[in-house]
Amino acid sequence: SFCLRTSPRLLCAATQQKNTGQSLEEDQSQSQNEQKVEPSTAEKLLAEEKAKLEEQLKEVTEKYKRALADAENVRQRSQKLVEEAKLYGIQSFCKDLLEVADILEKATESVPKEEIKDENPHLKSLYEGLVMTETQIQKVFKKHGLLRLNPVGAKFDPYEHEALFHTPVEGQEPGTIALVSKIGYKLHGRTLRPALVGVVKDA
């Protein structure tokens, strides 16, 4: 009879303990759920911070790339200026020498060809010396990239020639050069002095 009397109580106590255990489990589960909610907020903040840092890194990287490109452009421009200085630094000096070449050319042209003979040894030696000097100066010019422009028969080019006059010439195409009054020169492909020319025009 004791067992029977106490059994309901034990059952009640067990039920209470079970319910209490369930309540504890529910509280723990709720607490864990709350903890799960809190990290999601932290993760969101971290994700935002990560996005900001990635954006900043992207911006810094772009600036770095632009700075590298600018530096390379400056280097290439500087190198080009140095190369041009090497090529065209003698431009002014060459222009002065062209006058000397012109005088030599006129001197050789002015000597009467019929007088260049053994009977006139002094004149012959002088003429040959002038020709040799003129040839040598042209070799020096060529060595340094300075070339003559003697464009008889060529098409008129305003970048290389300067037209002194236009005249009709039978048998020649209009726009071509009929006469070169003064030889021109180019230094490494750049016109240093245009050739002074007469250009053929329509009759």
Side-chain angles (χ1 to χ4, degrees):
S1 64
F2 175 77
C3 290
L4 290 173
R5 282 197 301 271
T6 57
S7 291
R9 292 178 184 176
L10 290 171
L11 287 170
C12 185
T15 303
Q16 287 178 353
Q17 287 177 357
K18 184 177 180 182
N19 291 337
T20 304
Q22 286 177 350
S23 298
L24 288 171
E25 286 177 3
E26 288 174 358
D27 290 343
Q28 288 175 355
S29 176
Q30 186 176 355
S31 175
Q32 287 175 357
N33 288 335
E34 288 175 356
Q35 288 176 358
K36 284 180 182 177
V37 171
E38 288 178 1
S40 68
T41 305
E43 287 174 2
K44 186 178 179 182
L45 292 172
L46 285 172
E48 290 176 356
E49 188 66 25
K50 180 185 175 187
K52 287 179 183 177
L53 290 172
E54 286 177 346
E55 187 64 30
Q56 289 176 359
L57 178 61
K58 183 180 177 182
E59 186 178 344
V60 169
T61 303
E62 289 299 319
K63 286 181 178 178
Y64 176 67
K65 287 179 180 178
R66 283 197 297 269
L68 282 179
D70 289 342
E72 179 62 18
N73 288 337
V74 169
R75 187 193 69 79
Q76 289 179 357
R77 282 197 298 269
S78 299
Q79 185 177 354
K80 186 178 180 181
L81 288 172
V82 169
E83 289 173 355
E84 285 187 351
K86 287 179 181 177
L87 288 176
Y88 304 109
I90 59 171
Q91 183 169 301
S92 178
F93 179 66
C94 286
K95 265 191 172 181
D96 292 338
L97 281 181
L98 296 185
E99 301 301 321
V100 177
D102 291 341
I103 293 169
L104 282 171
E105 185 177 9
K106 283 185 173 66
T108 54
E109 288 176 355
S110 66
V111 177
K113 301 298 183 287
E114 65 275 8
E115 296 294 328
I116 304 168
K117 50 189 179 181
D118 293 336
E119 287 78 5
N120 295 320
H122 297 296
L123 181 60
K124 185 179 180 182
S125 296
L126 178 61
Y127 175 78
E128 289 173 351
L130 288 172
V131 170
M132 288 174 63
T133 304
E134 188 181 3
T135 302
Q136 186 60 34
I137 200 170
Q138 290 300 327
K139 283 182 181 178
V140 172
F141 284 173
K142 189 174 181 179
K143 178 182 176 182
H144 292 281
L146 190 62
L147 299 177
R148 283 162 56 99
L149 291 175
N150 190 8
V152 175
K155 278 283 187 182
F156 177 78
D157 183 347
Y159 294 103
E160 295 184 358
H161 317 134
E162 183 179 335
L164 295 177
F165 58 88
H166 292 77
T167 183
V169 179
E170 189 178 348
Q172 292 195 26
E173 184 183 348
T176 58
I177 296 169
L179 173 72
V180 176
S181 175
K182 193 173 187 179
I183 296 292
Y185 283 88
K186 292 178 82 171
L187 179 62
H188 294 293
R190 180 187 292 179
T191 301
L192 183 62
R193 185 181 78 184
L196 304 182
V197 300
V199 183
V200 178
K201 73 172 183 179
D202 290 320

